[in-house]
Amino acid sequence: MDGMTTNTLAHDHNVRASDAEREEVARIVQDAGAEGRLTLAETEERLAGIYGARFRHELAQYTADLPRERDRPQRPWPPGVRGVPRPLLVHGALAIVLATVLIVRWIVSGVPYFWPGFPLFWLAVSLFVHARIRGFRGPYRRARAS
């Protein structure tokens, strides 16, 4: 919790908990539920207690038996490369493979006109639409918008 440990929460018997503190503890409990550390019933029970807590020291009990952020194992792979969502990367890789296959077939076939143009156009359109649906605007636009 942003600079605040569970031990600090335990010593604050007279300090009221803020909404931000409750949300942070709730996030930790939800993450533990998503990781399989807590059953659905345990997660719901703890969340009800967290949102009903009035003082900081009451929040400490809900995360006392859970590993701290730094103790959790990291994901075996990053969620994407340079901020590009994984499904969009897979779609892009598939589009590149299909484009390569189409162009190689055209070269081998000896047909004088570039017939893969139409399928390549639709591959590019599908990739563009997928990126727009995912809300991905690229690293340059995201940096400029910040």
Side-chain angles (χ1 to χ4, degrees), residues 38-84:
L38 299 172
T39 65
L40 182 59
E42 289 173 318
T43 302
E44 289 176 358
E45 181 181 314
R46 289 185 188 206
L47 289 174
I50 290 166
Y51 288 116
R54 292 182 6 201
F55 297 99
R56 282 183 176 175
H57 75 278
E58 295 171 348
L59 295 174
Q61 65 185 336
Y62 298 107
T63 58
D65 61 341
L66 300 175
R68 289 187 208 93
E69 202 66 38
R70 67 177 182 264
D71 295 339
R72 285 194 184 135
Q74 296 299 317
R75 291 182 179 174
W77 55 82
V81 177
R82 295 185 187 217
V84 180

Side-chain angles (χ1 to χ4, degrees), residues 33-129:
E35 292 171 354
R37 296 179 191 279
L38 299 172
T39 65
L40 182 59
E42 289 173 318
T43 302
E44 289 176 358
E45 181 181 314
R46 289 185 188 206
L47 289 174
I50 290 166
Y51 288 116
R54 292 182 6 201
F55 297 99
R56 282 183 176 175
H57 75 278
E58 295 171 348
L59 295 174
Q61 65 185 336
Y62 298 107
T63 58
D65 61 341
L66 300 175
R68 289 187 208 93
E69 202 66 38
R70 67 177 182 264
D71 295 339
R72 285 194 184 135
Q74 296 299 317
R75 291 182 179 174
W77 55 82
V81 177
R82 295 185 187 217
V84 180
R86 184 175 303 273
L88 192 56
L89 288 173
V90 171
H91 189 158
L94 181 63
I96 290 170
V97 168
L98 286 174
T100 304
V101 168
L102 288 171
I103 292 170
V104 167
R105 279 200 69 175
W106 172 71
I107 292 170
V108 172
S109 71
V111 176
Y113 60 91
F114 187 67
W115 61 263
F118 189 71
L120 292 176
F121 170 76
W122 287 111
L123 276 174
V125 167
S126 72
L127 192 57
F128 175 76
V129 169

